[in-house]
Amino acid sequence: MKSNKKHLSSGIAIGVVGTLVASAVVGVTIVYTGAYNVAATEDHQPLARWALETTMKTSVADRASSIEPPEFSVQMISSGGREYQAMCQHCHGGPGVEKSEWARGILPQPPHLPDVVTEWQAREVFWLVKHGVRMSAMPAFGPTHDDEQIWALTAFVMQLPGMTAQRYAEFGQGNSAAGHH
């Protein structure tokens, strides 16, 4: 009986090692033959898209879990609105504002934030703005902006859902009352 169990265990180990080796060979072959199309005009395969999106979302949630957002003030939201229009609008658009034409050539497509920000917590938006996302065209603003500026931007982004185009436009005019309803 022991001999059969030993052979079974050996067989499983050989199968696992064989699968790992075969996977490594396939991976190296894809890398060195250029088989994977990296063109920004072609979307990822569905499995690759799922893996990348799921990895990004769970990575951000994990890394942002210990961040405590401050209270968002009208002044923070107003300041963040001006920053958003200067730095983010060209890729993410805004209420009544489309993203820039050149940003439509980015893959993955930057999301229209008024439509998707409800899927994120403020701490996660802060983390994304501060650290960026590799290979997505989302830059890290942490090296060039302090946490106070990033929180102001986060405060504004969290206000985007349901914001009217008129209210959005007021932020670009430097209207400090833009944070009021």
Side-chain angles (χ1 to χ4, degrees):
M1 230 4 145
K2 281 187 175 182
S3 144
N4 285 343
K5 286 183 181 180
K6 189 173 185 177
H7 287 309
L8 181 59
S9 295
S10 299
I12 290 173
I14 290 170
V16 168
V17 169
T19 300
L20 291 173
V21 169
S23 296
V25 167
V26 168
V28 168
T29 301
I30 289 170
V31 168
Y32 281 104
T33 64
Y36 192 82
N37 186 355
V38 298
T41 55
E42 299 290 326
D43 200 359
H44 295 289
Q45 294 296 319
L47 181 60
R49 162 72 49 226
W50 170 83
L52 293 169
E53 286 180 2
T54 303
T55 299
M56 190 266 296
K57 288 179 179 180
T58 55
S59 176
V60 171
D62 180 59
R63 283 157 181 78
S65 65
S66 63
I67 298 172
E68 285 301 321
E71 288 279 330
F72 295 150
S73 69
V74 170
Q75 183 179 10
M76 284 175 75
I77 295 167
S78 184
S79 172
R82 290 187 298 276
E83 290 288 312
Y84 180 89
Q85 288 181 356
M87 299 183 325
C88 310
Q89 175 179 289
H90 51 273
C91 284
H92 294 289
V97 178
E98 294 295 319
K99 58 182 86 170
S100 296
E101 183 179 356
W102 63 263
R104 292 185 217 134
I106 297 172
L107 189 66
Q109 268 290 289
H112 188 251
L113 290 183
D115 298 335
V116 300
V117 76
T118 57
E119 298 172 17
W120 299 92
Q121 296 178 21
R123 71 183 80 230
E124 294 167 336
V125 171
F126 173 86
W127 191 94
L128 284 163
V129 173
K130 184 170 183 166
H131 298 285
V133 179
R134 287 185 198 162
M135 299 177 66
S136 74
M138 176 61 197
F141 288 102
T144 57
H145 293 73
D146 63 28
D147 283 0
E148 185 176 317
Q149 292 171 304
I150 295 171
W151 276 120
L153 190 54
T154 300
F156 177 77
V157 167
M158 299 310 291
Q159 304 301 308
L160 285 171
M163 185 182 292
T164 66
Q166 179 182 349
R167 182 167 174 236
Y168 179 77
E170 290 172 359
F171 287 97
Q173 298 166 4
N175 182 352
S176 63
H180 295 292
H181 293 270

